[in-house]
Amino acid sequence: MRKSDKKRSSSLLAAAIALVVAATTGPATADGPGPNHRTTLGYASDGLAADDGPNDEGGPNDEGGRSDEPGVEPAPERAPTSEVSWLSFPGGAFAVDSLGHTVRYRACDGDTGRVADPDMRVAAGVASGAVVVGGTAYRYRVPLVGRSEGTLEVIQRHRPPTTLTGVVVTSPQPPTDPVAGARLFPLSNQLARVVADASLNPAGATVRDLSGRYGDQQVSVNGALRPKAASVIKLWILVELLRRVDCGQVSLDEGVLVTPADVVGGTGQLQFETFPQVVTLYRLARYLIKYSDNVAANVLITYLGGFAPVNALIDSMNQRSTILARRMLDSAAAQRGEENYTSPDDVVSLLGAVWDGEILTPASRDLMIGFMREQTLNTKIPAALPPGVPVAHKTGDLPDASHDVGYYLIPGTETAVAFLTAGPMATGDETVRRMARTVYDFLVTPSDGAVEE
């Protein structure tokens, strides 16, 4: 799906480009939930709005989504563009914000941070320009349409220029087949009814076909809902670790000293062991997902260098509703207002990029999904489905949040899902189960919109 790196000669930029290195942009805040939820159909995605605060439940702005009837081809004149796109290439990402005129290069060989390019040119759905950071020039041409091909030329002194070519990723990605994608639209109406019935729990759901059966279409209801992330944030911690494995910077066989000071309660198994002891990165990564281990999460945050590297990963994929701002079970930080957040759209953006091999190698992708298949907290998605349905998932629980996200691995109908709720956990659990079953029934029941092949 991605082309190999190609090298070609090119002259150095005529002059160094004046640039401003901006502080790493914190994720913007998405709309809060409300009684008039948004349903996103077709290509459109929920927009981002100003910060409503972590507990605000003001209604979102109603934006025009697609409302095509089943079987009707959307047939836009051309695929829509996104103001935030990132170029996926082996070992890294190049993020472009065409509205803010900023870019970010993050790969195995370094991270520029978020950099301003006031001379960025945006025309015909393509952002192009050049920046110089630390003596290295980055000249780019990135279409703002997902699944297109973009290029990035990295020019260093005394070295041949390198041209990186890769797939452009947007959120959501356009469908590969709009006709097949239209068949997924009725699912949004069914999910919207579940969300409307959840009077105690503002809820959101985003679903992306990964199999091609529905043209890789994505649909969402309240996809920009931004509740506390709870343990769903652990997925980004794992991806950042595995990205470093892919870069050859760390090995999962490496051991990390865990001390009694690292031990916290909540979910997990490590808290019951004797410390100090050396724990391998592999076991920390596995326990992080399999048992949602809070000790493993906090140790890995420290090992990776704190919050900044994980947030840099998030920023490089332009996931504006997600942030890691506190450790697991850090009640003092929570009382100070330091909280982790995400959205259904951001979760599926991550899951889709992992599945498609756009942020991890196939080996690391398979390892991550394998850990998710071992998940031991199975009271939501798995409990809602018939026994034996293959899923790989990650839960998140707080007194005021209940989530389950992951992959339905039904052969030929593989699907990424994110079910997030705010409000009381007990009723949130039931809302998640209802959303999970609604998606499953749609996928396996032809009369509900699926089409027998």
Side-chain angles (χ1 to χ4, degrees), residues 45 79-85 96-99 125 143-146 169-172:
S45 67
T81 60
S82 169
E83 68 274 11
V84 283
S85 305
V96 173
D97 182 341
S98 63
L99 288 183
L144 304 176
V145 178
V169 182
T170 60
S171 183

Side-chain angles (χ1 to χ4, degrees), residues 246-266:
D246 292 342
C247 288
Q249 297 168 350
V250 303
S251 167
L252 291 179
D253 293 331
E254 181 181 338
V256 179
L257 179 64
V258 180
T259 71
D262 296 313
V263 176
V264 294

Side-chain angles (χ1 to χ4, degrees), residues 250-435:
V250 303
S251 167
L252 291 179
D253 293 331
E254 181 181 338
V256 179
L257 179 64
V258 180
T259 71
D262 296 313
V263 176
V264 294
T267 54
Q269 295 297 307
L270 285 175
Q271 61 182 299
F272 303 114
E273 299 186 13
T274 301
F275 297 98
Q277 67 163 294
V278 174
V279 182
T280 64
L281 287 175
Y282 177 87
R283 191 152 77 101
L284 289 171
R286 185 184 185 199
Y287 280 28
L288 177 74
I289 305 301
K290 180 175 181 177
Y291 302 113
S292 195
D293 199 292
N294 290 326
V295 176
N298 289 349
V299 169
L300 285 173
I301 289 171
T302 299
Y303 176 83
L304 293 170
F307 305 146
V310 177
N311 288 325
L313 169 73
I314 293 165
D315 185 61
S316 71
M317 292 187 286
N318 283 321
Q319 291 158 350
R320 300 304 181 87
S321 295
T322 303
I323 188 170
L324 173 65
R326 69 164 177 84
R327 296 173 185 272
M328 306 304 113
L329 291 184
D330 188 344
S331 57
Q335 290 173 0
R336 294 192 299 268
E338 299 163 7
E339 190 53 79
N340 307 323
Y341 292 99
T342 192
S343 69
D345 282 350
D346 275 8
V347 171
V348 166
S349 174
L350 179 72
L351 294 174
V354 168
W355 182 271
D356 290 338
E358 291 161 340
I359 199 66
L360 296 177
T361 63
S364 286
R365 172 199 64 202
D366 293 347
L367 185 64
M368 175 173 168
I369 294 174
F371 291 159
M372 294 173 71
R373 293 193 72 160
E374 293 181 333
Q375 170 72 246
T376 58
L377 306 176
N378 294 315
T379 61
K380 289 182 241 187
I381 289 178
L385 310 185
V389 175
V391 297
H393 68 116
K394 180 71 198 78
T395 56
D397 290 307
L398 287 171
D400 54 354
S402 176
H403 318 313
D404 208 352
V405 309
Y407 303 100
Y408 287 19
L409 297 174
I410 304 166
T413 315
E414 292 84 358
T415 307
V417 299
F419 308 122
L420 273 58
T421 73
M425 185 171 65
T427 50
D429 288 354
E430 180 57 29
T431 297
V432 169
R433 285 190 288 269
R434 288 191 60 198
M435 291 190 290

Side-chain angles (χ1 to χ4, degrees), residues 162-252:
T162 299
T163 297
L164 302 170
T165 304
V167 173
V168 172
V169 182
T170 60
S171 183
Q173 288 278 66
T176 54
D177 182 344
V179 176
R183 296 183 299 164
L184 195 62
F185 292 171
L187 176 59
S188 292
N189 295 327
Q190 296 178 22
L191 286 169
R193 288 193 288 271
V194 177
V195 169
D197 288 344
S199 58
L200 297 179
N201 296 95
T206 299
V207 178
R208 182 187 295 182
D209 171 45
L210 302 172
S211 67
R213 183 179 185 183
Y214 296 97
D216 301 289
Q217 179 70 60
Q218 177 171 322
V219 296
S220 64
V221 177
N222 283 352
L225 175 78
R226 193 177 187 246
K228 296 174 183 178
S231 287
V232 171
I233 199 68
K234 293 169 182 174
L235 291 175
W236 278 272
I237 298 172
L238 178 59
V239 170
E240 175 59 14
L241 175 66
L242 294 179
R243 189 192 69 83
R244 296 190 189 187
V245 171
D246 292 342
C247 288
Q249 297 168 350
V250 303
S251 167
L252 291 179

